[in-house]
Amino acid sequence: MVVLLAAALAMPLGPLRAQPVSEPSALPSLGDVDGMSVAEERRLGDRIARDIYRDPDYLDDPLLGDYLQRLWQPLLTAARARGEITPELAERMAWELMISRDRRVNAFALPGGYFGVHLGLIAVTDTSAELASVLAHELSHVSQRHIARMLTRQDKAAPWIIGAMILGALAARNNVDVANAAIAGSQAVAAQTQLNFSRDMEREADRVGFSVLTGAGFEGEGFVSMFEKLQQASRLNDDGSFPYLRSHPLSSERMADMKARLPMGGLAASAGPRVPVASVSALPSTGAGLNLALPRTGLGTALTLPPVTLHPLMAARARVLAENGPDRLRAWLASGQSEKASPGERYAAAWAAHRLGQSALAVRLAQRLREDVAPEVAWVADALWMEVVMAPAHQRTPAQLAELARLRDQALAAGDRGSLLLGAQAAMATAAPRPAASRLQTWVVNHPRDALAWQTLSAVYRTQGQTLRAVRAEAEAHVAMRDYSGALERLRAAQALPVAQRSADPVELAVVDARTREVQALLRQAEQAERDGL
């Protein structure tokens, strides 16, 4: 589904304000953008993101999303502290992460501050610093306005043409004919050859990204080891599993520059002061997807960098989620049952058993992980156990139901998104939806662009027989994904419910009527933007 903007059209067809810290080895700035404004870039990004939300490969996995936020928010805060993200960019860009189910190693940056990660990238990284290094690099492409500069150069192609080409490339993996049609035409083909980041832009993203990474508290070796991993893949004649290499071709110069930034102690001498991560404050949640409030419990009681024991578990989750073939799932299941299996391998085995429909085995393996895992990531094993126990095919014992209820209450009391949504699922599984409804109502008030939270709230309302509220929540989920026509359809369905259901909740009915008018206005604005080519 998702690919780097720089690679999207080059891939074969077949997804506290602070003063900047000076750096002795910094490249000169590439200059300001004279053409595309921030507002124009954001509108273009919104259009592309809207289609990505609808793509079958778009994945909102709350546990992986919370983990990525543990890496992403410190990077954003470090970039702001360094002055790389100006107050205007902080407010007007989306700064939003999205996940793709794609198992290829890639990440992407799109206009308007949208970013994403393939499951394959999470799976191939060995440490959080390696994954954060890729995010820091992509963040720097946006903070330095590289995408806007490239689009500004396309003086023969209007932004809507470029947007269509990007979406064509996003569709390439699933439908070659659609993709070819999307990028057809001499104008589009001519622009296609120019949508690669320049060497200067790559060097600048390396330099800024390295300093943002280390300024956020991550070890600089993560940048170097990720480069080395990608270089090794390049030497082995990339077979298409590493599209990141085509969009960000490695050079000996880039490798040498990153290694030169690591002094003997391994910390970045040129990074400037580090941001005290415990005092990190998240950027405003202006988008949907994953740019949500950071966890206060579950993932940690303070905004600290994740423990080293967390990444192997999250990488295992990504690896299994990205796989659809049973052969690999069976292989992970077998290796994870070995006495010498690592926690990551045990996690993968339990999750693979769950994916293979072997629910009883999945529960046993998850329980074993709970007994063996390090204390600082015990909550991860608890979450996995809850997920596999709630499998529809699993026959829960009284003891498992009691334990699920205990973990349900613990999850609903936590402050992180993953725990809340998992706790809500457990609340429905244990026929105790009322506390979940209350917690979710508070959450969506503070995070109205959280589509999955709205969908979960809708399911909770239905278990309580509150049909009007359930349908309105479905509509809000569509609004969160910028699907205004879908939202309007659900709101009209709510207005068309039997009189008894509508009159039972007059306050909610009034909200539905008001939201119908508001969504109609949003739909008209979106249609006008389409006509204007924005």
Side-chain angles (χ1 to χ4, degrees):
M1 174 191 75
V2 287
V3 289
L4 271 164
L5 172 61
L9 305 172
M11 288 177 57
L13 295 179
L16 6 165
R17 176 69 173 164
Q19 294 302 313
V21 179
S22 61
E23 297 187 5
S25 59
L27 294 171
S29 171
L30 296 179
D32 295 330
V33 179
D34 295 325
M36 177 172 283
S37 69
V38 174
E40 290 170 333
E41 183 183 348
R42 176 62 189 272
R43 284 196 294 271
L44 178 58
D46 287 348
R47 285 188 58 195
I48 298 169
R50 181 188 61 199
D51 287 87
I52 290 176
Y53 294 142
R54 300 174 186 175
D55 193 288
D57 277 344
Y58 170 72
L59 173 67
D60 185 354
D61 183 84
L63 294 179
L64 283 177
D66 280 352
Y67 175 58
L68 287 177
Q69 286 298 311
R70 289 289 299 275
L71 314 181
W72 185 238
Q73 291 293 342
L75 294 174
L76 287 174
T77 302
R80 294 184 73 182
R82 285 176 45 81
E84 306 295 348
I85 297 179
T86 65
E88 180 189 16
L89 290 181
E91 179 180 355
R92 304 187 70 177
M93 291 291 202
W95 304 112
E96 181 177 316
L97 289 177
M98 295 177 278
I99 303 177
S100 165
R101 297 179 190 273
D102 201 320
R103 70 183 186 189
R104 293 176 298 172
V105 178
N106 205 0
F108 72 91
L110 289 170
Y114 290 94
F115 305 82
V117 182
H118 282 193
L119 287 176
L121 176 68
I122 304 173
V124 79
T125 51
D126 293 322
T127 67
S128 59
E130 287 184 350
L131 180 54
S133 74
V134 177
L135 298 179
H137 183 98
E138 299 309 314
L139 182 155
S140 300
H141 275 310
V142 172
S143 69
Q144 306 307 305
R145 303 293 313 280
H146 291 168
I147 294 174
R149 290 170 188 167
M150 286 192 301
L151 296 179
T152 298
R153 287 206 306 263
Q154 314 308 312
D155 54 350
K156 292 185 178 181
W160 66 269
I161 295 178
I162 295 174
M165 294 184 335
I166 294 169
L167 292 173
L170 296 177
R173 196 168 57 83
N174 296 321
N175 191 321
V176 174
D177 292 335
V178 171
N180 283 332
I183 64 172
S186 58
Q187 233 178 9
V189 172
Q192 173 182 342
T193 64
Q194 303 174 36
L195 278 176
N196 290 317
F197 290 122
S198 69
R199 292 181 179 179
D200 283 344
M201 288 179 178
E202 288 296 345
R203 285 194 296 265
E204 185 174 51
D206 286 344
R207 169 184 61 83
V208 175
F210 185 90
S211 296
V212 167
L213 179 78
T214 53
F218 295 98
E219 298 300 327
E221 289 96 331
F223 226 113
V224 175
S225 61
M226 192 65 200
F227 268 24
E228 291 173 342
K229 191 179 296 270
L230 293 170
Q231 186 181 53
Q232 179 67 14
S234 179
R235 287 173 178 169
L236 295 176
N237 297 321
D238 177 28
D239 61 357
S241 297
F242 285 75
Y244 195 82
L245 291 170
R246 290 191 291 275
S247 58
H248 292 268
L250 293 174
S251 65
S252 57
E253 177 190 5
R254 290 180 67 196
M255 291 286 297
D257 181 46
M258 288 299 99
K259 289 181 178 179
R261 293 175 181 272
L262 286 177
M264 292 298 293
L267 301 178
S270 61
R274 295 191 176 204
V275 177
V277 181
S279 64
V280 168
S281 58
L283 285 173
S285 177
T286 56
L290 304 175
N291 190 7
L292 303 169
L294 284 171
R296 300 295 174 178
T297 59
L299 290 180
T301 56
L303 298 181
T304 57
L305 297 185
V308 295
T309 49
L310 177 57
H311 185 82
L313 304 180
M314 294 294 97
R317 184 178 182 86
R319 186 162 59 249
V320 178
L321 279 173
E323 185 55 58
N324 290 320
D327 291 341
R328 287 194 182 188
L329 294 177
R330 292 191 187 103
W332 291 328
L333 175 56
S335 62
Q337 295 182 73
S338 167
E339 289 297 327
K340 297 181 179 180
S342 67
E345 290 171 331
R346 294 197 189 283
Y347 189 107
W351 197 233
H354 174 70
R355 293 284 310 279
L356 289 167
Q358 300 181 36
S359 60
L361 178 57
V363 172
R364 289 199 301 271
L365 292 172
Q367 180 58 37
R368 183 170 181 180
L369 180 66
R370 294 178 75 195
E371 295 166 357
D372 297 340
V373 78
E376 66 270 17
V377 290
W379 64 270
V380 182
D382 288 345
L384 175 64
W385 186 88
M386 291 175 70
E387 288 181 293
V388 298
V389 164
M390 287 190 292
H394 182 67
Q395 298 296 316
R396 293 181 284 272
T397 67
Q400 289 173 346
L401 280 171
E403 178 66 358
L404 183 60
R406 185 186 72 82
L407 293 175
R408 172 203 68 203
D409 295 342
Q410 181 177 299
L412 290 175
D416 60 288
R417 179 178 186 252
S419 294
L420 171 60
L421 296 181
L422 189 57
Q425 294 293 333
M428 289 184 283
T430 55
R434 186 178 297 276
S438 176
R439 288 285 290 112
L440 284 167
Q441 287 166 355
T442 301
W443 179 268
V444 295
V445 167
N446 295 320
H447 307 92
R449 293 293 315 285
D450 190 341
L452 184 57
W454 280 111
Q455 292 166 357
T456 306
L457 180 59
S458 175
V460 171
Y461 280 145
R462 287 193 183 279
T463 64
Q464 296 179 297
Q466 296 179 300
T467 305
L468 179 62
R469 291 185 176 227
V471 177
R472 204 267 284 191
E474 290 174 358
E476 297 294 355
H478 284 280
V479 173
M481 293 184 289
R482 296 188 173 84
D483 178 14
Y484 301 126
S485 59
L488 191 58
E489 184 275 329
R490 297 315 296 149
L491 288 169
R492 287 172 174 164
Q495 292 174 322
L497 287 171
V499 175
Q501 291 180 330
R502 285 183 285 130
S503 60
D505 196 342
V507 173
E508 185 69 12
L509 182 60
V511 172
V512 167
D513 293 340
R515 289 297 284 157
T516 300
R517 293 189 293 271
E518 292 167 358
V519 171
Q520 286 174 330
L522 290 171
L523 181 59
R524 287 193 296 269
Q525 293 172 11
E527 291 172 343
Q528 184 61 50
E530 292 267 358
R531 289 192 292 270
D532 294 342
L534 296 175

